Amino acid sequence: MTFKHITEEKLSLPTEFPALPSMGGYVLFAGIVRDINDGKQVTHLEYEAYSEMANQMIANIIADAFQKWELQYADCIHRLGKLNLGEVAVIVSTGSIHRDEAYKANRYIIDRVKHEVPIWKKEFYINGSSEWSKGCVDELHEH
Amino acid sequence: MKIQLLSFAALKDFFPPKQELSLDGIHTVFDLKNYLQNKNPDASNLIKVSRISINQIIAKDSDTITEGSIVAVLPPSSGG
């Protein structure tokens, strides 16, 4: 199954901006698989989601961002399945007339996606062990 | 009452990813959490910090579960 905001396909960075003449600022965030977490050497990750629900929740978060800021453009796509180091896990892109709103909306979307959307990460370590990420139970959501 | 129960991520170490449950005396999300914690006490800490969705909508502890619902136990998210 493929959804607009959830995919098992490899993510590529966009090579062109959305063709919107009023858009003067465009912000792109990419979440990338890194090789270390909590001091443990990571070899790869697996992402799992409650896909139908995750897709709808991301769509709702984007709609909320459009309500909060005067955006020209906003999108988010999250990858599932096995991801190797350096691969892109999530892309959030936002555009607005001026840069400020694009920056703020981008941060808002990735923070909410990270903390609210039912997507989970399993980390695989160099010693052969693996562990589900504990996720965020911190109300401040500042990490 | 019959429901379909979905478990994700670390919860799958304790419960099947998808199961049909016939439940008696369970009316609310709170009741279901207690039932699952009693069924597998090792999962208690994880269930306590998990959210529950009913038919893909996040539910409160006081919300009622109805016949035929698809109920999911969602551990804290860790996407991004």
Side-chain angles (χ1 to χ4, degrees), chain A residues 40-112:
Chain A
K40 288 193 273 193
Q41 208 67 35
V42 173
T43 58
H44 64 282
L45 300 179
E46 277 181 21
Y47 280 101
E48 172 185 318
Y50 187 179
S51 294
E52 298 89 336
M53 195 172 165
N55 188 65
Q56 187 57 50
M57 284 178 80
I58 293 176
N60 293 346
I61 290 167
I62 290 170
D64 288 348
F66 271 101
Q67 289 287 315
K68 287 174 80 77
W69 292 283
E70 197 176 321
L71 296 174
Q72 305 285 301
Y73 180 84
D75 200 8
C76 171
I77 188 161
H78 202 298
R79 187 177 164 194
L80 303 182
K82 181 183 173 185
L83 278 76
N84 293 314
L85 300 180
E87 290 192 316
V88 179
V90 60
I91 293 174
V92 180
S93 43
T94 47
S96 53
I97 294 172
H98 302 292
R99 70 181 182 282
D100 188 47
E101 295 191 307
Y103 268 118
K104 284 176 177 163
N106 198 292
R107 178 70 193 249
Y108 170 86
I109 292 167
I110 189 60
D111 283 353
R112 285 192 61 192

Side-chain angles (χ1 to χ4, degrees), chain A residues 27-48:
Chain A
V27 173
L28 184 140
F29 169 80
I32 304 160
V33 180
R34 64 171 183 267
D35 68 352
I36 196 158
N37 194 33
D38 283 340
K40 288 193 273 193
Q41 208 67 35
V42 173
T43 58
H44 64 282
L45 300 179
E46 277 181 21
Y47 280 101
E48 172 185 318

Side-chain angles (χ1 to χ4, degrees), chain A residues 47-48 50 52-53 78 90 114 116-117 119-121 132-137, chain B residues 6 8-10 12 49 51 53 56 58 70 72 74-80:
Chain A
Y47 280 101
E48 172 185 318
Y50 187 179
E52 298 89 336
M53 195 172 165
H78 202 298
V90 60
K114 189 173 173 62
E116 295 175 26
V117 177
I119 299 173
W120 301 277
K121 175 169 67 179
W132 287 102
S133 170
K134 297 281 185 295
C136 182
V137 289
Chain B
L6 308 179
F8 291 95
K12 292 188 300 184
V49 295
R51 294 175 296 171
S53 72
Q56 298 183 17
I58 299 290
I70 300 173
L74 311 171
S77 300
S78 58

